[in-house]
Every structure is written in C-alpha cells, then in structure tokens.
Amino acid sequence: MIFTQGGTRPTCVLVQFSAQTFQLGGDSVMIRATLDNITAAIPAEVQYSTAPNNAVISGAYSYQFVFPNVAPGNHILRMQFRSAGGGGVFVHRHTTVVHYQ
C-alpha cells in the first residue's frame, strides 16, 4: 500500500491490520508491518494465532502497529506473515487501515 505522509515534520502513523488466519497443527501465524522495506513497526512482530498439537484452527484477529516517527513524503507499507515453525500458515480475508497525516 502506498500513501503520502503530509505535514512538514515527522509524525506518527498507525496501521490496523485485521485478518482471518489459518494454520496447520502445531504452528503459529506471525504478522509484521514494515515501512519502505526497512523500518519495522512497534511491535516488530505479533503472533495472531497458534494451533496446538495436530489441531487445525482458523480465527479472526486484529492488531494495531505504530510507526512513531514517519517523515513527510511517499511511503510503502507492507504487511508480512510467516510461520513460526516452518509449517503451513495462511492469511485470508484481511483489511488494512492506515491512519496518517
């Protein structure tokens, strides 16, 4: 997602990411937000869901990520996900809301 931060000085950008996640048994879905492929949000990464043992679990989750000091200009926001244990994880039916100046 591309957005243009306005103003004349760096300000805060908030990102709310909601998604239905799905993972195979014994794994966790990890989510992070990055700005311009360099800067990680606060927190750097969160666990959306986990499936104990051989369970298969799907659930809806939401988290707010913070970039406290974003300079004016064009920026690229990327939401990334990964498996904590190297297994199968999926992000489905998601929304990303960016609050910026």
Side-chain angles (χ1 to χ4, degrees):
M1 170 181 287
I2 298 172
F3 69 95
T4 302
Q5 176 79 324
T8 58
R9 61 183 179 81
T11 57
C12 186
V13 170
L14 301 176
V15 176
Q16 179 152 1
F17 183 75
S18 302
Q20 179 182 3
T21 61
F22 172 84
Q23 68 282 340
L24 302 177
D27 216 336
S28 299
V29 178
M30 305 302 291
I31 305 283
R32 72 178 181 173
T34 62
L35 195 62
D36 302 326
N37 293 322
I38 298 170
T39 306
I42 298 171
E45 187 174 58
V46 296
Q47 179 177 315
Y48 262 47
S49 57
T50 190
N53 302 322
N54 290 321
V56 176
I57 295 177
S58 175
Y61 303 88
S62 183
Y63 208 88
Q64 197 161 45
F65 297 88
V66 179
F67 295 96
N69 197 30
V70 179
N74 294 330
H75 297 281
I76 299 172
L77 170 73
R78 293 189 194 280
M79 298 304 301
Q80 300 174 326
F81 69 97
R82 70 174 180 90
S83 160
V89 298
F90 307 91
V91 174
H92 185 62
R93 295 188 179 147
H94 60 85
T95 59
T96 306
V97 178
V98 181
H99 301 275
Y100 60 96
Q101 188 176 42

